[in-house]
Amino acid sequence: MKKAIEEVIEFNKERDWDQFHSEANLAKSIVIEACELLECFQWDPEHYDRDAVIEELADVLNYCIVLSDKLQVDMEDIVLKKLEKNRQKYPVEKARGKSTKYDKL
């Protein structure tokens, strides 16, 4: 993932897009791209265009990379920290095979 992160950051620097990338704008862009990802499944979730899904997923990830860079956080670190919190909220013995929210387990 390190190479991908470096490439995305370099891509944006080459184009001088940092001036448009406030934290709020990046968060909005993540949501917009996530909606486009969801749109791929809108009318027929059983028969979706896999290539379109992959394209939209990449857009979401690209904006996440840029926002992480803007916030000066290590993506791997924050994901692992959040995963540890989720392990506490969703212990295997209570959560296995359930979609129940943690406060209802």
Coordinates of all heavy atoms in Angstrom, one line a residue, residues 18-97:
D18 N -3.6 20.6 -3.8 CA -3.7 20.7 -2.4 C -4.5 22.0 -2.0 O -5.2 21.9 -1.0 CB -2.3 20.8 -1.8 CG -2.3 20.7 -0.3 OD1 -2.9 19.7 0.3 OD2 -1.8 21.7 0.4
Q19 N -4.4 23.0 -2.8 CA -5.2 24.2 -2.5 C -6.7 24.0 -2.5 O -7.4 24.7 -1.8 CB -4.9 25.3 -3.6 CG -5.3 24.9 -5.0 CD -4.9 25.9 -6.1 OE1 -5.2 27.0 -5.9 NE2 -4.2 25.4 -7.1
F20 N -7.2 22.9 -3.1 CA -8.6 22.6 -3.0 C -8.9 21.5 -2.0 O -10.1 21.2 -1.8 CB -9.0 22.0 -4.4 CG -8.6 22.9 -5.6 CD1 -7.7 22.4 -6.5 CD2 -9.1 24.2 -5.7 CE1 -7.3 23.2 -7.6 CE2 -8.7 25.0 -6.8 CZ -7.8 24.5 -7.7
H21 N -7.9 21.0 -1.4 CA -8.1 19.8 -0.5 C -8.1 20.2 1.0 O -7.3 19.7 1.7 CB -7.0 18.8 -0.8 CG -7.2 18.1 -2.1 ND1 -6.2 17.3 -2.7 CD2 -8.2 18.0 -3.0 CE1 -6.6 16.8 -3.8 NE2 -7.8 17.2 -4.0
S22 N -9.1 20.9 1.4 CA -9.3 21.1 2.8 C -9.8 19.8 3.4 O -10.3 19.0 2.7 CB -10.3 22.3 3.0 OG -11.6 21.9 2.6
E23 N -9.7 19.7 4.7 CA -10.2 18.5 5.3 C -11.7 18.3 5.0 O -12.2 17.2 4.7 CB -10.0 18.6 6.8 CG -8.5 18.4 7.2 CD -7.8 19.8 7.2 OE1 -8.3 20.8 6.7 OE2 -6.7 19.8 7.8
A24 N -12.5 19.4 5.1 CA -13.9 19.3 4.8 C -14.2 18.9 3.4 O -15.1 18.1 3.1 CB -14.6 20.7 5.1
N25 N -13.5 19.5 2.4 CA -13.7 19.2 1.0 C -13.3 17.7 0.8 O -14.0 17.0 0.0 CB -12.9 20.0 0.1 CG -13.4 21.4 -0.1 OD1 -14.6 21.7 0.3 ND2 -12.7 22.3 -0.6
L26 N -12.3 17.2 1.4 CA -11.9 15.8 1.2 C -13.0 14.9 1.8 O -13.3 13.9 1.2 CB -10.5 15.5 1.8 CG -9.4 16.2 1.0 CD1 -8.1 16.2 1.8 CD2 -9.2 15.6 -0.4
A27 N -13.5 15.2 3.0 CA -14.5 14.4 3.6 C -15.7 14.4 2.7 O -16.4 13.3 2.6 CB -14.8 14.9 5.0
K28 N -16.1 15.5 2.2 CA -17.2 15.6 1.3 C -17.0 14.7 0.0 O -17.9 14.0 -0.4 CB -17.5 17.0 0.8 CG -18.0 17.9 1.9 CD -18.0 19.4 1.4 CE -18.2 20.4 2.5 NZ -18.0 21.8 2.0
S29 N -15.8 14.8 -0.5 CA -15.5 14.0 -1.7 C -15.5 12.5 -1.4 O -16.0 11.7 -2.2 CB -14.1 14.4 -2.2 OG -14.1 15.7 -2.6
I30 N -15.1 12.1 -0.2 CA -15.2 10.7 0.2 C -16.7 10.2 0.2 O -17.0 9.2 -0.4 CB -14.6 10.4 1.6 CG1 -13.1 10.6 1.5 CG2 -14.9 9.0 2.1 CD1 -12.4 10.6 2.8
V31 N -17.5 11.0 0.7 CA -19.0 10.7 0.8 C -19.6 10.7 -0.6 O -20.3 9.8 -1.0 CB -19.7 11.7 1.7 CG1 -21.2 11.5 1.6 CG2 -19.3 11.5 3.1
I32 N -19.2 11.6 -1.4 CA -19.7 11.7 -2.8 C -19.3 10.4 -3.6 O -20.1 9.8 -4.2 CB -19.2 13.0 -3.5 CG1 -19.9 14.2 -2.9 CG2 -19.5 12.9 -5.0 CD1 -19.3 15.5 -3.3
E33 N -18.0 10.1 -3.5 CA -17.6 8.9 -4.2 C -18.2 7.6 -3.6 O -18.5 6.7 -4.3 CB -16.0 8.8 -4.1 CG -15.3 9.9 -4.9 CD -15.7 9.9 -6.4 OE1 -16.1 8.9 -6.9 OE2 -15.5 10.9 -7.0
A34 N -18.4 7.6 -2.3 CA -19.1 6.4 -1.6 C -20.5 6.3 -2.2 O -21.0 5.2 -2.4 CB -19.1 6.5 -0.1
C35 N -21.2 7.4 -2.4 CA -22.5 7.4 -3.0 C -22.5 6.8 -4.4 O -23.3 6.1 -4.8 CB -23.1 8.8 -2.9 SG -23.6 9.3 -1.3
E36 N -21.4 7.2 -5.2 CA -21.3 6.7 -6.5 C -21.0 5.2 -6.5 O -21.5 4.4 -7.3 CB -20.2 7.4 -7.3 CG -20.6 8.9 -7.6 CD -19.5 9.7 -8.3 OE1 -18.5 9.0 -8.8 OE2 -19.6 10.9 -8.4
L37 N -20.3 4.7 -5.5 CA -20.1 3.3 -5.3 C -21.4 2.6 -5.0 O -21.7 1.6 -5.6 CB -19.1 3.1 -4.1 CG -18.8 1.6 -3.7 CD1 -18.3 0.8 -4.8 CD2 -17.9 1.7 -2.5
L38 N -22.2 3.2 -4.1 CA -23.5 2.6 -3.7 C -24.4 2.6 -5.0 O -25.2 1.6 -5.1 CB -24.1 3.4 -2.6 CG -25.4 2.9 -2.0 CD1 -25.3 1.5 -1.5 CD2 -25.9 3.9 -0.9
E39 N -24.3 3.6 -5.8 CA -25.2 3.7 -7.0 C -25.0 2.5 -7.9 O -25.9 2.0 -8.6 CB -24.9 5.0 -7.7 CG -25.8 5.2 -8.9 CD -25.5 6.6 -9.6 OE1 -24.3 7.0 -9.6 OE2 -26.4 7.2 -10.1
C40 N -23.8 1.9 -7.9 CA -23.5 0.7 -8.7 C -24.4 -0.5 -8.3 O -24.7 -1.3 -9.2 CB -22.1 0.3 -8.5 SG -20.8 1.4 -9.1
F41 N -25.0 -0.5 -7.1 CA -25.8 -1.5 -6.7 C -27.3 -1.1 -6.6 O -28.1 -1.9 -6.1 CB -25.4 -2.0 -5.3 CG -24.0 -2.5 -5.2 CD1 -22.9 -1.6 -4.8 CD2 -23.6 -3.8 -5.6 CE1 -21.6 -2.1 -4.8 CE2 -22.3 -4.2 -5.5 CZ -21.3 -3.4 -5.1
Q42 N -27.6 0.1 -7.0 CA -28.9 0.7 -6.8 C -30.1 -0.2 -7.2 O -31.0 -0.4 -6.5 CB -29.0 2.1 -7.4 CG -30.3 2.8 -7.0 CD -30.3 4.2 -7.5 OE1 -29.4 4.7 -8.2 NE2 -31.3 5.0 -7.1
W43 N -30.2 -0.6 -8.5 CA -31.4 -1.2 -9.0 C -31.3 -2.7 -9.1 O -32.4 -3.4 -9.1 CB -31.7 -0.6 -10.4 CG -31.9 0.9 -10.3 CD1 -31.1 1.8 -10.9 CD2 -32.9 1.6 -9.5 NE1 -31.6 3.1 -10.5 CE2 -32.7 3.0 -9.7 CE3 -33.9 1.2 -8.7 CZ2 -33.4 3.9 -9.1 CZ3 -34.7 2.2 -8.1 CH2 -34.5 3.5 -8.3
D44 N -30.1 -3.2 -9.2 CA -30.0 -4.7 -9.3 C -28.8 -5.1 -8.5 O -27.7 -5.4 -9.2 CB -30.0 -5.1 -10.7 CG -30.1 -6.6 -10.9 OD1 -30.2 -7.4 -9.9 OD2 -30.1 -7.1 -12.1
P45 N -28.8 -5.2 -7.2 CA -27.6 -5.5 -6.4 C -27.1 -6.9 -6.7 O -25.9 -7.2 -6.4 CB -28.1 -5.4 -5.0 CG -29.6 -5.5 -5.0 CD -30.0 -5.1 -6.4
E46 N -27.8 -7.8 -7.4 CA -27.3 -9.1 -7.7 C -26.5 -9.1 -9.0 O -25.6 -10.0 -9.1 CB -28.5 -10.1 -7.9 CG -29.5 -10.2 -6.7 CD -28.8 -10.9 -5.5 OE1 -28.1 -11.9 -5.8 OE2 -29.1 -10.4 -4.4
H47 N -26.7 -8.2 -9.8 CA -26.1 -8.1 -11.1 C -25.4 -6.7 -11.3 O -26.0 -5.8 -12.0 CB -27.0 -8.4 -12.3 CG -27.7 -9.7 -12.1 ND1 -28.9 -9.8 -11.5 CD2 -27.3 -10.9 -12.5 CE1 -29.3 -11.1 -11.5 NE2 -28.3 -11.8 -12.1
Y48 N -24.3 -6.5 -10.7 CA -23.7 -5.2 -10.8 C -22.5 -5.3 -11.7 O -22.0 -6.3 -12.0 CB -23.3 -4.7 -9.4 CG -22.4 -5.6 -8.7 CD1 -21.0 -5.6 -8.9 CD2 -22.9 -6.6 -7.8 CE1 -20.1 -6.4 -8.2 CE2 -22.0 -7.5 -7.2 CZ -20.7 -7.4 -7.3 OH -19.8 -8.2 -6.7
D49 N -22.0 -4.1 -12.1 CA -20.9 -4.0 -13.0 C -19.6 -4.0 -12.1 O -19.3 -3.0 -11.5 CB -21.0 -2.7 -13.8 CG -19.8 -2.5 -14.8 OD1 -18.7 -3.1 -14.6 OD2 -19.9 -1.7 -15.7
R50 N -18.9 -5.1 -12.0 CA -17.8 -5.2 -11.2 C -16.7 -4.2 -11.4 O -16.1 -3.6 -10.5 CB -17.2 -6.6 -11.3 CG -16.1 -6.9 -10.3 CD -15.7 -8.4 -10.3 NE -14.8 -8.8 -9.2 CZ -13.5 -8.6 -9.2 NH1 -12.9 -8.0 -10.2 NH2 -12.8 -9.0 -8.2
D51 N -16.4 -3.9 -12.7 CA -15.4 -2.9 -13.1 C -15.8 -1.5 -12.6 O -15.0 -0.8 -12.1 CB -15.2 -2.9 -14.6 CG -14.5 -4.1 -15.1 OD1 -13.8 -4.8 -14.3 OD2 -14.7 -4.5 -16.3
A52 N -17.1 -1.2 -12.7 CA -17.5 0.1 -12.2 C -17.4 0.2 -10.6 O -17.0 1.2 -10.1 CB -19.0 0.4 -12.6
V53 N -17.7 -0.9 -10.0 CA -17.6 -1.0 -8.5 C -16.1 -0.7 -8.1 O -15.8 0.0 -7.2 CB -18.1 -2.3 -7.9 CG1 -17.7 -2.5 -6.5 CG2 -19.6 -2.4 -8.1
I54 N -15.2 -1.4 -8.8 CA -13.8 -1.3 -8.5 C -13.3 0.2 -8.8 O -12.5 0.7 -8.0 CB -13.0 -2.3 -9.4 CG1 -13.3 -3.7 -8.9 CG2 -11.5 -2.0 -9.3 CD1 -12.7 -4.8 -9.8
E55 N -13.8 0.8 -9.8 CA -13.4 2.2 -10.1 C -13.9 3.1 -9.0 O -13.1 4.0 -8.6 CB -14.0 2.6 -11.5 CG -13.5 2.0 -12.7 CD -12.2 2.7 -13.1 OE1 -12.0 3.9 -13.0 OE2 -11.3 1.9 -13.6
E56 N -15.1 3.0 -8.6 CA -15.6 3.8 -7.5 C -14.9 3.5 -6.2 O -14.6 4.5 -5.4 CB -17.1 3.7 -7.4 CG -17.9 4.1 -8.6 CD -17.6 5.5 -9.1 OE1 -17.2 6.4 -8.3 OE2 -17.8 5.8 -10.3
L57 N -14.6 2.3 -5.9 CA -13.9 1.9 -4.7 C -12.5 2.6 -4.7 O -12.1 3.1 -3.7 CB -13.8 0.4 -4.5 CG -13.0 -0.1 -3.3 CD1 -13.7 0.4 -2.0 CD2 -13.0 -1.6 -3.4
A58 N -11.9 2.6 -5.8 CA -10.6 3.2 -5.9 C -10.7 4.7 -5.7 O -9.8 5.3 -5.0 CB -10.0 3.0 -7.3
D59 N -11.7 5.4 -6.2 CA -11.9 6.8 -5.9 C -12.1 7.1 -4.4 O -11.5 8.0 -3.9 CB -13.2 7.3 -6.7 CG -12.9 7.4 -8.2 OD1 -11.8 7.4 -8.6 OD2 -13.9 7.5 -8.9
V60 N -12.9 6.2 -3.7 CA -13.0 6.4 -2.3 C -11.7 6.3 -1.6 O -11.3 7.1 -0.8 CB -14.0 5.4 -1.7 CG1 -14.0 5.4 -0.2 CG2 -15.4 5.6 -2.3
L61 N -10.9 5.2 -1.9 CA -9.6 5.0 -1.3 C -8.7 6.2 -1.6 O -7.9 6.6 -0.7 CB -9.0 3.7 -1.8 CG -9.8 2.4 -1.3 CD1 -9.3 1.2 -2.0 CD2 -9.7 2.3 0.2
N62 N -8.7 6.7 -2.8 CA -7.8 7.8 -3.2 C -8.1 9.0 -2.3 O -7.1 9.6 -1.8 CB -7.9 8.2 -4.6 CG -7.3 7.2 -5.6 OD1 -6.3 6.5 -5.2 ND2 -7.7 7.2 -6.8
Y63 N -9.3 9.3 -2.1 CA -9.6 10.5 -1.2 C -9.3 10.2 0.2 O -8.9 11.1 0.9 CB -11.1 10.9 -1.4 CG -11.3 11.8 -2.6 CD1 -12.2 11.4 -3.6 CD2 -10.7 13.0 -2.7 CE1 -12.4 12.2 -4.7 CE2 -11.0 13.8 -3.8 CZ -11.8 13.4 -4.8 OH -12.0 14.2 -5.9
C64 N -9.4 9.0 0.6 CA -9.0 8.6 2.0 C -7.5 8.8 2.2 O -7.1 9.2 3.2 CB -9.4 7.2 2.3 SG -11.2 6.9 2.6
I65 N -6.8 8.4 1.2 CA -5.3 8.6 1.2 C -5.0 10.1 1.4 O -4.1 10.4 2.2 CB -4.6 7.9 0.0 CG1 -4.7 6.4 0.1 CG2 -3.2 8.4 -0.2 CD1 -4.3 5.7 -1.2
V66 N -5.6 10.9 0.5 CA -5.3 12.3 0.5 C -5.7 12.9 1.9 O -4.9 13.7 2.4 CB -6.0 13.0 -0.6 CG1 -5.7 14.5 -0.6 CG2 -5.5 12.5 -2.0
L67 N -6.8 12.5 2.4 CA -7.2 13.1 3.7 C -6.3 12.6 4.8 O -5.9 13.4 5.7 CB -8.7 12.7 4.0 CG -9.2 13.2 5.4 CD1 -9.1 14.7 5.5 CD2 -10.7 12.8 5.6
S68 N -5.9 11.4 4.8 CA -4.9 10.9 5.8 C -3.6 11.7 5.7 O -3.0 12.1 6.7 CB -4.6 9.4 5.6 OG -5.8 8.7 5.8
D69 N -3.2 12.0 4.5 CA -2.0 12.8 4.3 C -2.2 14.2 4.9 O -1.3 14.7 5.6 CB -1.6 12.8 2.8 CG -0.3 13.6 2.6 OD1 0.8 13.2 3.1 OD2 -0.3 14.6 1.8
K70 N -3.3 14.8 4.6 CA -3.6 16.1 5.0 C -3.6 16.2 6.5 O -3.2 17.1 7.2 CB -5.0 16.6 4.4 CG -5.5 17.9 4.9 CD -4.6 19.1 4.4 CE -5.1 19.5 3.1 NZ -4.4 20.8 2.7
L71 N -4.2 15.2 7.2 CA -4.3 15.1 8.6 C -2.9 14.6 9.3 O -2.8 14.6 10.5 CB -5.4 14.1 9.1 CG -6.8 14.6 8.7 CD1 -7.8 13.5 9.0 CD2 -7.2 15.9 9.4
Q72 N -2.0 14.2 8.4 CA -0.7 13.7 8.9 C -0.8 12.5 9.8 O -0.3 12.5 10.9 CB 0.1 14.9 9.5 CG 0.4 16.0 8.6 CD 1.2 17.1 9.2 OE1 1.2 17.3 10.4 NE2 1.9 17.8 8.3
V73 N -1.7 11.6 9.4 CA -1.8 10.3 10.1 C -1.4 9.2 9.2 O -1.6 9.2 8.0 CB -3.3 10.1 10.6 CG1 -3.6 11.2 11.6 CG2 -4.3 10.1 9.5
D74 N -0.9 8.1 9.9 CA -0.5 6.9 9.2 C -1.8 6.0 9.0 O -2.4 5.7 10.0 CB 0.6 6.2 10.0 CG 1.0 4.9 9.3 OD1 0.4 3.9 9.6 OD2 2.0 5.0 8.5
M75 N -2.1 5.7 7.8 CA -3.4 5.0 7.6 C -3.3 3.6 8.3 O -4.3 3.2 8.9 CB -3.6 4.8 6.1 CG -4.0 6.0 5.4 SD -4.3 5.8 3.6 CE -5.7 4.8 3.6
E76 N -2.2 2.9 8.2 CA -2.2 1.6 8.8 C -2.4 1.7 10.3 O -3.1 1.0 10.9 CB -0.8 0.9 8.5 CG -0.7 -0.4 9.1 CD 0.6 -1.2 8.8 OE1 1.5 -0.5 8.3 OE2 0.7 -2.4 9.1
D77 N -1.7 2.7 10.9 CA -1.8 2.9 12.3 C -3.3 3.2 12.8 O -3.8 2.6 13.7 CB -0.9 4.1 12.8 CG -0.9 4.3 14.3 OD1 -0.6 3.4 15.0 OD2 -1.2 5.5 14.7
I78 N -4.0 4.1 12.1 CA -5.3 4.4 12.5 C -6.3 3.3 12.3 O -7.2 3.1 13.1 CB -5.8 5.7 11.9 CG1 -6.0 5.7 10.4 CG2 -5.0 6.9 12.3 CD1 -6.6 6.9 9.7
V79 N -6.1 2.5 11.2 CA -6.9 1.3 11.0 C -6.7 0.3 12.1 O -7.7 -0.3 12.6 CB -6.6 0.7 9.6 CG1 -7.3 -0.6 9.4 CG2 -7.1 1.7 8.5
L80 N -5.5 0.0 12.4 CA -5.2 -1.0 13.5 C -5.7 -0.5 14.8 O -6.2 -1.3 15.6 CB -3.7 -1.3 13.5 CG -3.1 -2.0 12.3 CD1 -1.6 -2.2 12.4 CD2 -3.8 -3.4 12.1
K81 N -5.6 0.8 15.1 CA -6.1 1.3 16.4 C -7.7 1.1 16.4 O -8.2 0.8 17.5 CB -5.7 2.7 16.6 CG -4.3 2.9 17.0 CD -3.9 4.3 17.2 CE -2.5 4.5 17.7 NZ -2.0 5.9 17.7
K82 N -8.3 1.5 15.3 CA -9.8 1.3 15.3 C -10.2 -0.1 15.4 O -11.2 -0.5 16.0 CB -10.3 2.0 14.0 CG -11.8 2.0 13.9 CD -12.5 2.7 15.0 CE -14.0 2.7 14.8 NZ -14.7 3.4 15.8
L83 N -9.4 -1.0 14.7 CA -9.7 -2.4 14.8 C -9.6 -2.9 16.2 O -10.5 -3.7 16.7 CB -8.8 -3.2 13.9 CG -9.0 -4.7 13.8 CD1 -10.4 -5.0 13.2 CD2 -7.9 -5.3 12.9
E84 N -8.7 -2.5 17.0 CA -8.6 -2.9 18.4 C -9.8 -2.4 19.2 O -10.3 -3.1 20.0 CB -7.3 -2.3 19.0 CG -7.0 -2.8 20.4 CD -7.1 -4.4 20.5 OE1 -6.6 -5.1 19.7 OE2 -7.6 -4.8 21.6
K85 N -10.2 -1.1 18.9 CA -11.4 -0.6 19.6 C -12.6 -1.5 19.2 O -13.5 -1.8 20.1 CB -11.7 0.8 19.2 CG -10.9 1.8 19.9 CD -11.3 3.2 19.5 CE -10.5 4.2 20.3 NZ -10.9 5.6 20.0
N86 N -12.7 -1.9 18.0 CA -13.9 -2.7 17.5 C -13.8 -4.1 18.1 O -14.8 -4.7 18.4 CB -13.9 -2.8 16.0 CG -14.4 -1.5 15.4 OD1 -15.0 -0.7 16.0 ND2 -14.1 -1.3 14.1
R87 N -12.6 -4.6 18.4 CA -12.5 -5.9 19.1 C -13.1 -5.8 20.5 O -13.7 -6.8 20.9 CB -11.0 -6.3 19.2 CG -10.5 -6.9 17.9 CD -9.1 -7.5 18.1 NE -8.6 -8.1 16.9 CZ -7.7 -7.6 16.1 NH1 -7.1 -6.5 16.4 NH2 -7.3 -8.3 15.0
Q88 N -12.9 -4.7 21.1 CA -13.5 -4.5 22.4 C -15.0 -4.4 22.4 O -15.7 -4.9 23.2 CB -12.9 -3.3 23.1 CG -11.3 -3.3 23.3 CD -10.9 -4.4 24.2 OE1 -11.5 -4.7 25.2 NE2 -9.9 -5.1 23.7
K89 N -15.5 -3.6 21.4 CA -16.9 -3.4 21.3 C -17.6 -4.7 20.8 O -18.8 -4.9 21.1 CB -17.2 -2.3 20.3 CG -16.8 -0.9 20.9 CD -17.0 0.3 20.1 CE -17.5 0.4 18.8 NZ -17.6 1.7 18.2
Y90 N -17.0 -5.5 20.0 CA -17.6 -6.7 19.4 C -16.8 -7.9 19.7 O -16.1 -8.5 18.8 CB -17.7 -6.5 17.8 CG -18.6 -5.4 17.4 CD1 -18.0 -4.1 17.1 CD2 -19.9 -5.6 17.3 CE1 -18.9 -3.1 16.7 CE2 -20.8 -4.5 16.9 CZ -20.2 -3.3 16.6 OH -21.0 -2.3 16.2
P91 N -16.8 -8.4 20.9 CA -16.1 -9.6 21.3 C -16.6 -10.8 20.5 O -17.8 -10.9 20.3 CB -16.3 -9.7 22.8 CG -17.4 -8.8 23.2 CD -17.5 -7.8 22.1
V92 N -15.7 -11.6 20.1 CA -16.1 -12.8 19.3 C -17.3 -13.6 19.9 O -18.2 -13.9 19.2 CB -14.9 -13.7 19.0 CG1 -15.3 -15.0 18.3 CG2 -13.8 -13.0 18.2
E93 N -17.2 -13.8 21.2 CA -18.2 -14.7 21.8 C -19.6 -14.1 21.8 O -20.6 -14.8 21.9 CB -17.8 -15.0 23.3 CG -17.6 -13.9 24.2 CD -16.2 -13.2 24.1 OE1 -15.3 -13.6 23.3 OE2 -16.0 -12.3 24.9
K94 N -19.7 -12.8 21.6 CA -21.0 -12.1 21.6 C -21.4 -11.8 20.2 O -22.6 -11.7 19.9 CB -21.0 -10.8 22.4 CG -20.9 -11.0 23.9 CD -21.0 -9.7 24.6 CE -21.0 -9.8 26.1 NZ -21.1 -8.5 26.8
A95 N -20.4 -11.5 19.3 CA -20.8 -10.9 18.0 C -20.7 -11.9 16.8 O -21.2 -11.6 15.7 CB -19.8 -9.8 17.7
R96 N -20.1 -13.1 17.0 CA -20.0 -14.0 15.9 C -21.3 -14.3 15.2 O -22.3 -14.7 15.9 CB -19.4 -15.3 16.4 CG -19.2 -16.3 15.2 CD -18.6 -17.6 15.7 NE -17.2 -17.5 16.0 CZ -16.2 -17.5 15.1 NH1 -16.4 -17.7 13.8 NH2 -14.9 -17.4 15.5
G97 N -21.4 -14.1 13.9 CA -22.6 -14.4 13.2 C -23.7 -13.4 13.3 O -24.8 -13.7 12.9

